[in-house]
Amino acid sequence: MEDLASIFVRAIFIDNMVFAYFLGMCSYLAVSRTVNTSVGLGFAVIFVLGITVPINYLLENFVLGRGALAWLGPQFAAVDLSFLTFIMFIAIIAAMVQLVEMVIEKVSPTLHNTLGIFLPLIAVNCAILGGSLFMQERNFVNIGEAFSFGLGSGVGFFLAIVGIAAIREKIRYSAVPAPLRGLGITFIITGLIGIGFMSFMGIEL
Amino acid sequence: MSEPNKNNKKEAMFSPKNQKLLSNPLGKDNPITVQVLGICSVLAITVQLRTSLVMAISVVAVMGLANVIISILRKTIPPRIRIIVQLTVIASLVILVDQLLKAYVYDVSRQLSVFVGLIITNCIIMGRLEAFALNNKPWPSFLDGVGNAAGYGSVLLMVGFFRELLGSGTLMGYQVIPNFLYDLGYENNGFMILPPMALITVGIIIWVHRYRDRNLVDIS
């Protein structure tokens, strides 16, 4: 249990998707104009990361990795399908996003209205694929750890995008040099927050 | 710039319109500083010029080919499932690039780690496929892909150049800051190696770019 909690906190702060690895920057920059929309996208990302990371973990361990197919029979023990990783991961992500969208549409139309436009966007959000690829590099021992990592990464992204949206709403009233307005200043602010987040780096959990 | 050009059957291979497809993304339509696409990888892999160069070449290859393939298939892909089709095409090309990198430049491939895989979700590729390749012929699509990838690569190289020069005093791994400067008390700026400095460098590039081209200034 302690392990799970520490993986969760690590994923939020020390390995923050946005500030430590700069993943998901496209949607981070494009959808952070107002706080409301960024909250919607943030929740959608938490949701999808929490689902796809554990599924891709199972896929990695029971289908794709070296010797992962051994459960089918001894003749498969030497099969190594890891070159298919990218295509399988992205297929899972795209399929899950589609599925999640359909389920939400049926179960909760209000949630669908808030998340609606963001869900298809998420399939091509680098943070989602990045979450699965980092999961592969980390060698988690069980699916619970993978789930906790996925959820933590999602929460990290949520905090980042809501934070920058709030700053951007405020900064509209400041006298930023004209050529720097909008995109330029957002980059520089993100860089400064990133430097701040580096102070978490030395912390061992 | 993404209007479908239907009646260009007799157009020369490098007609002015096609040249524009290639040159616009390098300047006033730059995918990173103007269209804000494909930022993710710019930041993580630009500590050295060498990794930036490898990444830029990989993206040019993937994007040119993906645009051509999607453009050839554009009439047969059902619109409802086009995203999955596009992702499959891109993912297959990225697997090829990844295997080639592993075979020929293994050390660079280690440094790029997950970022080669993340070319798949590089929004600039999806963005151009959606906006251009789906309703244009293969040759203009190819030029558009190469142009945009080159625009992307040029920013990548710029950021990589400054970060490696100021951060480690080297370029492509060779020392360029002469030794007597170090003797005079010059120090490498270790700050430039840290990832957040990539963001600030891109911010400054955007600043300079928009200062020189006032049309791009964000009015809102």
Side-chain angles (χ1 to χ4, degrees):
Chain A
M1 202 57 215
E2 261 172 42
D3 278 357
L4 295 187
S6 80
I7 287 175
F8 184 69
V9 175
R10 239 190 104 87
I12 297 179
F13 292 108
I14 305 174
D15 295 332
N16 187 292
M17 275 290 170
V18 175
F19 298 126
Y21 295 114
F22 307 110
L23 296 180
M25 286 305 275
C26 309
S27 37
Y28 169 82
L29 291 168
V31 192
S32 63
R33 277 180 199 276
T34 60
V35 174
N36 282 342
T37 48
S38 65
V39 169
L41 182 74
F43 274 123
V45 167
I46 296 181
F47 204 64
V48 176
L49 262 176
I51 295 175
T52 54
V53 172
I55 291 184
N56 281 338
Y57 177 83
L58 292 179
L59 197 69
E60 162 79 15
N61 281 282
F62 292 106
V63 183
L64 294 174
R66 180 182 294 275
L69 279 173
W71 54 274
L72 271 182
Q75 70 272 33
F76 291 106
V79 178
D80 183 2
L81 292 177
S82 52
F83 65 93
L84 285 176
T85 306
F86 295 153
I87 207 163
M88 290 303 285
F89 279 9
I90 199 71
I92 290 285
I93 289 170
M96 282 318 294
V97 169
Q98 197 77 54
L99 204 66
V100 165
E101 194 185 0
M102 289 194 286
V103 170
I104 293 184
E105 198 175 6
K106 264 270 186 280
V107 177
S108 158
T110 32
L111 185 62
H112 184 257
N113 280 343
T114 17
L115 297 187
I117 39 166
F118 300 118
L119 280 170
L121 258 182
I122 286 178
V124 287
N125 186 331
C126 359
I128 310 286
L129 184 62
S132 291
L133 292 176
F134 278 122
M135 174 275 297
Q136 196 189 16
E137 285 200 337
R138 292 286 170 75
N139 301 321
F140 291 121
V141 290
N142 60 40
I143 188 170
E145 291 191 3
F147 175 67
S148 143
F149 173 75
L151 216 56
S153 310
V155 174
F157 183 86
F158 174 85
L159 289 180
I161 194 166
V162 174
I164 196 76
I167 295 177
R168 282 181 80 171
E169 279 194 359
K170 276 277 172 205
I171 212 161
R172 232 162 268 161
Y173 306 108
S174 314
V176 179
L180 205 53
R181 242 173 244 166
L183 192 58
I185 195 72
T186 314
F187 266 102
I188 291 179
I189 293 170
T190 313
L192 294 177
I193 303 177
I195 292 174
F197 262 70
M198 288 187 65
S199 57
F200 288 116
M201 262 186 181
I203 300 174
E204 287 286 327
L205 276 175
Chain B
M1 92 162 254
S2 54
E3 89 266 25
N5 34 0
K6 278 171 193 145
N7 36 10
N8 64 344
K9 274 186 189 128
K10 291 203 178 114
E11 213 175 317
M13 271 194 136
F14 282 102
S15 64
K17 206 198 252 160
N18 282 349
Q19 279 177 16
K20 264 214 176 90
L21 287 178
L22 204 55
S23 65
N24 261 356
L26 286 171
K28 69 171 197 248
D29 225 1
N30 189 292
I32 290 179
T33 59
V34 182
Q35 304 177 42
V36 210
L37 294 173
I39 313 284
C40 320
S41 47
V42 181
L43 308 159
I45 48 110
T46 47
V47 180
Q48 291 169 349
L49 198 54
R50 198 169 136 82
T51 45
S52 319
L53 189 66
V54 171
M55 189 70 176
I57 294 172
S58 314
V59 172
V60 169
V62 171
M63 211 164 150
L65 289 176
N67 261 6
V68 170
I69 293 174
I70 292 293
S71 170
I72 292 171
L73 294 176
R74 71 186 186 279
K75 288 189 183 120
T76 44
I77 302 176
R80 284 188 70 99
I81 59 158
R82 65 179 195 286
I83 293 197
I84 293 223
V85 175
Q86 288 163 358
L87 283 175
T88 318
V89 168
I90 302 171
S92 323
L93 289 167
V94 170
I95 291 177
L96 282 180
V97 168
D98 186 45
Q99 300 288 332
L100 281 175
L101 288 183
K102 275 192 184 135
Y104 292 105
V105 278
Y106 188 72
D107 52 327
V108 179
S109 152
R110 291 299 319 162
Q111 280 173 349
L112 290 174
S113 81
V114 301
F115 290 95
V116 179
L118 289 173
I119 298 178
I120 300 171
T121 48
N122 195 325
C123 5
I124 168 185
I125 300 185
M126 283 291 282
R128 293 324 294 173
L129 288 183
E130 281 278 296
F132 198 87
L134 272 181
N135 35 30
N136 280 286
K137 287 189 171 352
W139 175 245
S141 304
F142 176 72
L143 289 181
D144 182 73
V146 171
N148 273 285
Y152 166 85
S154 67
V155 175
L156 216 61
L157 290 179
M158 241 187 291
V159 179
F161 175 82
F162 283 114
R163 283 183 75 191
E164 191 175 351
L165 183 66
L166 299 176
S168 347
T170 56
L171 282 179
M172 304 290 281
Y174 299 105
Q175 190 180 344
V176 285
I177 308 268
N179 272 325
F180 71 86
L181 272 178
Y182 287 110
D183 295 340
L184 288 174
Y186 175 83
E187 293 268 354
N188 286 327
N189 185 353
F191 222 44
M192 292 302 285
I193 299 178
L194 304 179
M197 286 312 288
L199 279 167
I200 295 180
T201 318
V202 175
I204 292 170
I205 290 176
I206 292 175
W207 190 1
V208 173
H209 191 203
R210 296 200 173 175
Y211 183 76
R212 286 172 49 189
D213 192 344
R214 286 279 167 167
N215 294 330
L216 299 173
V217 172
D218 197 345
I219 320 140
S220 64

